[in-house]
Amino acid sequence: MAARTAPSRPVGTVTRGTTNPNRLRRMDRWIAAAHGAALRRADAPLAVDLGYGAAPWTAVELLHRLRTAAPAVEVAGIEIDPARVAAAQPYARVGLVFRHGGFEVPTDRPPHLIRAANVLRQYDEEQVAAVWERLRARLAPDGLLVEGTCDEIGRRHVWVALGPEGPRTVTFATRLGSLDRPSDLAERLPKALIHRNVPGEPVHAFLRDFDRAWAAAAPYASYGARQRWIRTVRALSADWPVTDRAGRWRQGEVTVAWGALAPRG
């Protein structure tokens, strides 16, 4: 498929650019597990690290981690700040390029994955739907958009996975030893949800029930935080549409259908 003609100016605004090595390892690990088979099936699979920041670590790591699941995958790091693109060029290699751009995603073919981590935090909630729509329109037919937020050292993440048709799931992921209670993850909710953590909204009810299940599982803490988390998620799944299984829970993750947490209205 021919490349789209990019706008004369990239779409979006420059972010703070904060980045650290291994910051996105939990998200990358989930992508490789959830989307690796689709990447392997694809002809010339392409992944995009959108808004990689002031240093190119996350794009370099994305290539390495995805190739454990799909050896033929290529990665394009896209940044709206030209100085960041220039600074990243020494890290380019076969299968890894860096390009100037924004939400228009100026790639030579539709990507099978777009990862946009910590990009929409500075935008208004009302802008999220339009950005999602623009990014989804750039995906290959079986592509995946992963958009979310994490802390500076990658201990806590929450992200939304979207296909070309729209949002599918929300994943909560954490280093279990850092967690006092599951609602600690609320501070890392993506922009579409972070202002909805209030009474009457589904995500607020979910986090409330998550904390209650965590408290009820306190006796399992003697076996370690992982066993307590697994017990908590198993109890939570009785009332909420958890879409993954214990193999992922053991990683400090839980994935829930988007429709159960979507903002009202």
Side-chain angles (χ1 to χ4, degrees), residues 54-236:
W57 318 134
T58 60
V60 173
E61 292 167 352
L62 183 63
L63 178 67
H64 173 73
R65 291 170 181 148
L66 290 186
R67 282 194 165 176
T68 64
V73 74
E74 298 180 356
V75 170
I78 295 178
E79 246 299 333
I80 200 167
D81 183 345
R84 295 174 184 172
V85 178
Q89 293 307 323
Y91 296 88
R93 64 187 71 170
V94 175
L96 177 62
V97 299
F98 297 95
R99 293 178 177 166
H100 182 219
F103 295 138
E104 77 284 1
V105 189
T107 55
D108 60 2
R109 59 193 188 273
H112 299 83
L113 170 72
I114 299 174
R115 186 190 65 186
N118 305 301
V119 173
L120 295 184
R121 293 283 284 184
Q122 67 184 27
Y123 288 80
D124 294 334
E125 181 184 358
E126 293 74 19
Q127 296 175 282
V128 171
V131 172
W132 279 1
E133 183 176 5
R134 179 184 284 272
L135 296 178
R136 289 191 293 107
R138 287 293 289 127
L139 289 172
D142 59 349
L144 189 72
L145 165 62
V146 179
E147 188 274 309
T149 305
C150 69
D151 66 0
E152 288 73 10
I153 59 174
R155 294 172 306 170
R156 299 173 184 175
H157 294 241
V158 186
W159 61 80
V160 182
L162 307 93
E165 79 289 353
R168 296 173 177 172
T169 60
V170 184
T171 298
F172 299 78
T174 186
R175 182 166 66 83
L176 291 171
S178 73
L179 198 70
D180 289 328
R181 56 183 182 177
S183 62
D184 291 347
L185 287 161
E187 65 183 20
R188 297 300 163 184
L189 287 168
K191 179 61 74 168
L193 294 173
I194 194 166
H195 299 300
R196 302 302 183 122
N197 186 26
V198 294
E201 286 285 347
V203 71
H204 182 271
F206 173 77
L207 290 171
R208 176 203 64 205
D209 288 356
F210 209 165
D211 279 353
R212 289 174 177 172
W214 180 255
Y220 289 82
S222 60
Y223 300 105
R226 178 175 288 111
Q227 291 304 316
R228 184 178 183 182
W229 177 270
I230 291 170
R231 179 68 180 186
T232 296
V233 175
R234 183 168 287 117
L236 193 68

